Amino acid sequence: MRSKEDKINTGRRNALKILGLGSAALFTGGLGNISSAQTGQQQQMNKGPAGLPPIKIKSVKAIGVKSNPEGRGSNLIVVKVETTEPGLYGLGCATFTQRAEAVVTAINSYMADFCVGRDADNIEDMWQAFYVSSYWRNGPVLNNALSGLDQALWDIKGKRANMPVYQLLGGKCRFAVDTYTSVSAGTPEEIADRVLKEMEAGQRHVRIQMGGYGAVGTLGSDPDFKAAGFGMPNDSYMDEQAYLKAVPKMFEVVRKRCGEAVELCHDIHERNQPMDVINMCRKLEQYRPFFIEDPLSPENTHWWKQMRESTIVPFAQGELFNNINEFLGPMSNHYFDYIRIHVSQIGGITPAMKVARLGEWFNVRTIWHGPGDVSPVGHSAQAHMDLATWNFGLQEGGGVFSDFLREVFPGCATKENGYIIVNDKPGLGIDINEKMAAKYPITNNAGNWTVRKRDGTIIRP
Ligand code: GCO
Ligand code: MG
């Protein structure tokens, strides 16, 4: 005779079975249309955007090329993402010239494995997935690799949608992208001559530098540390006080010679003591600088409040930023006026557009970092963002490329009257000649970033 306990348990088991069946029915809308409901979701999952066939990532690789055929210049890194749709691929910039080979390893040894077989349409998901795939994150090497992937996926999505990427980002806020160029020379008079030439060429904004950053190589020679045999022979010397006196003089001469029609900018390049910078900026106020760049190193972010409250010059900051925690505070307190991130150093278009949108709420405008160590693919990506960003400020560089680079990267942006013009081809509108690139491989020449004070103390460049 089965015990009462027994009967209850059997009853419970039967009930659970029925429940199970019931809920399955619930999810699948009863036995009748189990298959169609599953199929619906499955079908949804198995369809690409707008009914396009779904595509997966077939391969990811790094392509390295020197920025000039003589083997000098920057180590440019581009990521090529190929898809399961024959002939459909995307390109993205992953250029970190000082550690290019490390980025290549991250791409070819880790990213390729990670990405193959994944859905190429889900850019945000792919970005978040790779971003945390190394557990430790936010570093220059992995962020650059991620940028290459990200920009390539936007390029692919534009090609699938048959639209330029700026259209996917919301369309044009302006007809073209205004720029600034940089001039440097040994004396203020020579610098003024070069500014006048830039104005004749249609530039409205010109950044003026006395020789190298911090006037290295122009002011100050035979430092004591060299006489003492300290450091390496090709270490650079920066005479801080000579630099701090020379910059106001440079602005005085250039403003007098070139007048008020040109906007003048200057890059401090994070090399001076914050209080010295405050005093120098106060002397520059009378020359109405358009922006003073990187007055503080990322290690001195805590000086921003005092810096902002001490002078009225507009500030542009950020090419060394890799991590949201470096710019969220200063931007939301609008301690600086322009955000100057090196887009591949934070991981590409996806995060950069978030930074741009964040800036809108605090009236911080964009001036993406655009020197020679951004590839033409990266320059195109930035120009597309610049077109689609309301709080755009200016763009550094872009549009002017050597014949060599135009041959390696067909579809480079162009420049007219100081404005960058991108073509209206789908995606980022730029391609790469892999055969030609292979003839000019990258090197591990990271450039000389050792700058010392008179006594040999290292200065953060
Ligand atoms: C700029 C920058 C560059 C950097 C270079 C580092 O404002 O353009 O300061 O010149 O020094 O990109 O590799
Ligand atoms: Mg700079």
Side-chain angles (χ1 to χ4, degrees):
M1 182 66 181
R2 288 190 19 230
S3 69
K4 189 156 164 272
E5 186 79 20
D6 221 11
K7 281 196 190 124
I8 291 169
N9 288 345
T10 321
R12 192 176 289 130
R13 270 197 298 278
N14 289 345
L16 282 173
K17 233 187 260 147
I18 292 164
L19 260 181
L21 263 178
S23 56
L26 196 75
F27 276 115
T28 57
L31 288 177
N33 53 14
I34 279 180
S35 56
S36 58
Q38 268 172 345
T39 337
Q41 262 177 3
Q42 264 307 319
Q43 274 170 0
Q44 191 46 44
M45 287 305 292
N46 292 338
K47 251 199 247 132
L52 289 168
I55 54 166
K56 304 290 182 194
I57 293 181
K58 196 176 78 181
S59 70
V60 174
K61 69 177 178 184
I63 302 168
V65 60
K66 288 301 283 192
S67 60
N68 75 42
E70 280 89 53
R72 284 178 283 101
S74 302
N75 300 306
L76 306 178
I77 303 292
V78 164
V79 169
K80 182 171 185 177
V81 173
E82 292 186 298
T83 71
T84 48
E85 183 175 315
L88 178 59
Y89 61 86
L91 299 176
C93 184
T95 300
F96 177 15
T97 187
Q98 288 84 354
R99 295 292 177 274
E101 291 175 354
V103 177
V104 168
T105 303
I107 294 163
N108 291 345
S109 304
Y110 297 97
M111 181 175 271
D113 282 357
F114 184 86
C115 293
V116 171
R118 289 175 186 258
D119 191 321
D121 282 314
N122 298 338
I123 303 177
E124 180 71 33
D125 178 66
M126 176 69 76
W127 196 94
Q128 299 293 346
F130 188 78
Y131 175 61
V132 296
S133 67
S134 50
Y135 187 47
W136 278 272
R137 50 196 177 263
N138 275 323
V141 171
L142 292 176
N143 277 2
N144 270 279
L146 182 49
S147 164
L149 170 68
D150 177 75
Q151 294 183 7
L153 294 177
W154 279 101
D155 190 20
I156 288 167
K157 193 173 279 295
K159 288 172 179 171
R160 271 167 74 66
N162 198 22
M163 285 183 196
V165 167
Y166 71 77
Q167 288 293 9
L168 303 179
L169 299 174
K172 284 185 177 177
C173 294
R174 52 200 57 80
F175 78 93
V177 174
D178 205 356
T179 62
Y180 77 83
T181 49
S182 295
V183 299
S184 74
T187 67
E189 288 67 25
E190 285 172 297
I191 294 167
D193 295 341
R194 294 185 186 188
V195 171
L196 290 170
K197 278 213 181 71
E198 292 298 313
M199 293 166 73
E200 278 154 30
Q203 283 301 135
R204 289 159 289 280
H205 305 79
V206 182
R207 186 176 71 174
I208 51 177
Q209 305 292 135
M210 182 84 93
Y213 295 116
V216 164
T218 302
L219 299 176
S221 57
D222 310 327
D224 301 339
F225 77 84
K226 290 211 183 230
F230 185 80
M232 300 299 279
N234 66 358
D235 291 353
S236 308
Y237 163 50
M238 176 175 169
D239 182 335
E240 297 168 275
Q241 296 311 320
Y243 165 80
L244 293 163
K245 290 184 207 121
V247 172
K249 186 72 193 149
M250 171 180 70
F251 268 86
E252 180 193 354
V253 170
V254 174
R255 188 50 88 199
K256 203 175 276 158
R257 286 268 313 278
C258 306
E260 289 297 329
V262 63
E263 300 303 329
L264 298 174
C265 317
H266 177 69
D267 189 352
I268 293 177
H269 217 264
E270 321 100 17
R271 291 187 173 186
N272 295 85
Q273 298 304 315
M275 273 322 289
D276 288 340
V277 170
I278 288 174
N279 293 328
M280 183 180 81
C281 287
R282 286 199 172 144
K283 293 184 189 126
L284 297 181
E285 290 173 355
Q286 60 189 306
Y287 305 115
R288 198 180 54 74
F290 185 81
F291 70 72
I292 296 297
E293 178 182 342
D294 288 338
L296 294 173
S297 67
E299 297 81 5
N300 279 333
T301 296
H302 49 276
W303 271 84
W304 265 114
K305 186 170 185 312
Q306 187 168 351
M307 181 67 69
R308 179 69 289 165
E309 290 167 355
S310 306
T311 173
I312 57 168
V313 300
F315 287 122
Q317 178 81 17
E319 67 188 51
L320 277 176
F321 290 160
N322 286 109
N323 182 326
I324 186 167
N325 301 312
E326 292 169 314
F327 53 80
L328 190 57
M331 280 181 79
S332 49
N333 289 297
H334 36 78
Y335 287 153
F336 46 72
D337 307 271
Y338 301 99
I339 182 76
R340 271 220 12 93
I341 285 174
H342 185 101
V343 168
S344 67
Q345 287 287 354
I346 63 164
I349 293 173
T350 298
M353 283 308 289
K354 294 173 186 174
V355 174
R357 304 304 190 206
L358 170 75
E360 182 176 338
W361 305 118
F362 301 103
N363 213 45
V364 176
R365 285 149 290 161
T366 64
I367 308 184
W368 303 120
H369 191 226
D373 48 326
V374 171
S375 73
V377 174
H379 281 291
S380 287
Q382 289 171 184
H384 280 258
M385 293 196 290
D386 293 334
L387 285 169
T389 300
W390 174 77
N391 50 314
F392 161 78
L394 271 183
Q395 180 57 56
E396 176 188 15
V400 179
F401 299 102
S402 64
D403 295 347
F404 168 75
L405 281 179
R406 286 192 180 284
E407 210 179 327
V408 176
F409 295 97
C412 284
T414 56
K415 194 169 183 184
E416 276 159 46
N417 188 27
Y419 288 104
I420 296 172
I421 315 282
V422 295
N423 62 48
D424 259 343
K425 289 192 187 132
L428 293 173
I430 190 164
D431 206 345
I432 189 164
N433 178 335
E434 288 187 60
K435 276 209 186 66
M436 191 172 172
K439 292 190 203 133
Y440 305 95
I442 61 170
T443 65
N444 64 2
N445 155 14
N448 175 14
W449 291 95
T450 307
V451 182
R452 296 181 185 277
K453 298 183 181 190
R454 183 185 309 283
D455 65 0
T457 308
I458 289 277
I459 289 178
R460 292 187 176 138

